[in-house]
Amino acid sequence: MPAVRLSVVTVAATAVALAAVTGCTEKSDAKGGDRVIEVTATDTACKVSRKEFPAGHVEIDVANKGSKVTEVYLLFPDDRIVTERENIGPGTSQRVTAEVKAGDYRIACKPGMKGKGIRQDVRATGSGKVAERDPRLDAAVAAYREYAQEQADETLPKVEVFTDAVKAGDIAAAKKAYAVSRIGWERTEPVAESFGDIDPKVDVREDGLEEGQDLEKDWTGWHRLERSLWKDGKLTDRDSELADLLVKDLKDWQKRVGKAEITPTAMANGAKELLDEVATGKVTGEEERYSHTDLVDFKANVEGAQKSYELLKPVASENDAELAEELDKRFAALNELLDTYREDTTSYEFTSYDKLGKDDVKGLLDAVNALGEPLSKLAAAVVAK
């Protein structure tokens, strides 16, 4: 795989971002309990404190005792994602609250954030039903499901404008349509990622391919076309094939969105995942390394996270008014800062990311981390009694 060259600012920001994301942890202060699963992740093992637990709300308390940044997933047997937490740095801990029905699951640790991970089979036991929850949370889930479907439905026509330009060989038109075609996906990315197989087809970066995959044969999706447009400066028959494949894969996503497993805690954890995406991909300039349209993705991620929060806020604010007040303040501050890089307040045209200086990057990262820390507590606030 070809080496990826990053600017000095990007490399520095990456280091800061990883330190910040892994440092913003909510450490477990209560050990044990039949609803707490302690996961000890190392470079070669993924140990769990229990393999059976009651259905309902469960807390996964992760300690990374290895030397590599890791990810931990709670998966259905078919690899759909129940919940996840990425970018857990060496020597740090994080706690994730999830909601599960009775049944079989897997916990996977991914040292180095690569591959299928080291897996442990676990089981949720009981009646098969999650305890009755606040009707306002059911309403929030229904509204979010509708929002996710709307984003998928609105994305396809925009993607087809982009792919039609690619197939016509119109580089200028394709460049103009590229970033806009990604907005709906970026707003609801945790839902797409929950399916397991769609994200690697449409949104993987050049350095995100798994070991053994071929760069030319196996790399597909938006970023492969991004490279052709901005780095190669030409479009080939292969790009036309990739354009058709992108539409096909996104139509699959569009059809499956309505079947996604969505719970209040999944919405809350998804909001945090979107902020982690910003901190480790958008702020570093790695996501859109050829087009430099990172701030478009950045804004869409924030909008998606805020949508989840706003839908959950009636319950979260009742359970933890101080947290809700802090989240309101941090969302407002981050949006205000992002708007300073907007070409105008009514469009999705932002300053090209390669034009930002070191102080700009640091300011954005600080604002993301200031929001990410309280956002990591949203799931617990939603289920608090």
Side-chain angles (χ1 to χ4, degrees):
M1 182 181 304
V4 179
R5 297 180 68 244
L6 301 176
S7 69
V8 173
V9 170
T10 297
V11 172
T14 302
V16 174
L18 287 172
V21 170
T22 55
C24 284
T25 59
E26 188 179 356
K27 296 192 71 172
S28 172
D29 54 9
K31 296 293 182 184
D34 61 0
R35 293 191 181 278
V36 177
I37 305 172
E38 295 172 19
V39 178
T40 304
T42 68
D43 296 346
T44 57
C46 184
K47 297 181 180 178
V48 297
S49 63
R50 63 182 65 250
K51 294 196 174 184
E52 289 194 357
F53 49 89
H57 293 115
V58 62
E59 296 192 1
I60 302 172
D61 197 1
V62 184
N64 184 3
K65 302 265 180 96
S67 64
K68 302 176 181 178
V69 177
T70 196
E71 301 172 343
V72 173
Y73 293 77
L74 179 62
L75 302 168
F76 290 103
D78 61 1
D79 273 9
R80 286 176 299 129
I81 298 170
V82 180
T83 192
E84 65 178 298
R85 189 54 53 88
E86 300 179 351
N87 301 300
I88 306 171
T92 67
S93 300
Q94 294 198 30
R95 175 174 277 208
V96 188
T97 301
E99 185 176 313
V100 296
K101 297 177 182 178
D104 294 327
Y105 298 88
R106 293 189 179 104
I107 290 177
C109 304
K110 294 188 180 182
M113 302 192 293
K114 288 280 190 179
K116 290 188 174 292
I118 304 163
R119 300 180 171 212
Q120 295 278 7
D121 291 333
V122 295
R123 174 175 293 176
T125 60
S127 65
K129 294 182 179 179
V130 175
E132 186 176 343
R133 63 190 179 206
D134 191 316
R136 293 174 294 176
L137 294 178
D138 288 327
V141 168
Y144 185 77
R145 189 181 298 279
E146 182 178 349
Y147 171 74
Q149 187 66 63
E150 286 174 352
Q151 294 304 307
D153 292 344
E154 292 171 6
T155 293
L156 261 296
K158 296 173 182 176
V159 168
E160 287 171 343
V161 171
F162 169 62
T163 55
D164 284 351
V166 169
K167 290 189 290 182
D170 190 337
I171 291 178
K175 283 183 174 182
K176 184 176 181 180
Y178 170 77
V180 175
S181 76
R182 292 174 48 75
I183 293 171
W185 171 273
E186 291 290 340
R187 285 173 176 159
T188 59
E189 195 166 0
V191 175
E193 289 181 341
S194 73
F195 300 123
D197 61 334
I198 296 178
D199 184 82
K201 295 177 182 178
V202 305
D203 199 35
V204 72
R205 301 195 301 259
E206 184 171 356
D207 53 352
L209 295 177
E210 299 294 344
E211 186 175 350
Q213 286 189 301
D214 182 85
L215 187 65
E216 296 306 319
K217 286 175 29 181
D218 300 320
W219 187 21
T220 61
W222 268 300
H223 295 304
R224 172 62 181 82
L225 292 168
E226 178 201 8
R227 190 186 74 169
S228 291
L229 290 166
W230 275 273
K231 184 180 180 182
D232 300 339
K234 63 182 180 180
L235 293 168
T236 66
D237 290 343
R238 175 57 175 163
D239 294 305
S240 292
E241 294 171 0
L242 291 169
D244 285 336
L245 186 57
L246 177 61
V247 172
K248 177 184 175 182
D249 290 334
L250 288 173
K251 283 182 176 178
D252 183 27
W253 163 58
Q254 181 187 27
K255 290 176 182 177
R256 291 162 66 179
V257 163
K259 301 175 184 177
E261 293 279 346
I262 300 174
T263 66
T265 54
M267 289 169 59
N269 289 329
K272 178 59 169 63
E273 289 162 24
L274 285 170
L275 262 290
D276 288 348
E277 286 272 342
V278 171
T280 59
K282 280 69 175 184
V283 169
T284 63
E286 292 179 74
E287 180 79 6
E288 307 290 356
R289 60 189 61 171
Y290 307 118
S291 66
H292 305 301
T293 56
D294 302 87
L295 288 178
V296 177
D297 292 357
F298 191 142
K299 180 65 174 178
N301 285 158
V302 174
E303 287 176 337
Q306 189 164 8
K307 181 67 174 182
S308 291
Y309 165 60
E310 293 291 348
L311 290 172
L312 297 169
K313 183 178 174 180
V315 173
S317 61
E318 191 174 288
N319 291 335
D320 193 336
E322 186 176 337
L323 176 65
E325 183 179 350
E326 180 72 5
L327 286 170
D328 286 340
K329 183 173 78 171
R330 295 302 181 185
F331 269 117
L334 180 53
N335 280 313
E336 183 178 352
L337 179 58
L338 276 172
D339 283 345
T340 65
Y341 297 100
R342 219 166 179 160
E343 298 299 320
D344 65 72
T345 57
T346 61
S347 77
Y348 253 82
E349 294 182 16
F350 285 83
T351 303
S352 181
Y353 207 77
D354 58 337
K355 305 298 183 186
L356 271 58
K358 187 174 181 179
D359 289 343
D360 295 306
V361 172
K362 183 179 185 304
L364 288 166
L365 182 59
D366 288 346
V368 168
N369 288 329
L371 172 58
E373 193 280 326
L375 197 58
S376 68
K377 302 174 183 177
L378 179 58
V382 166
V383 302
K385 301 296 184 183

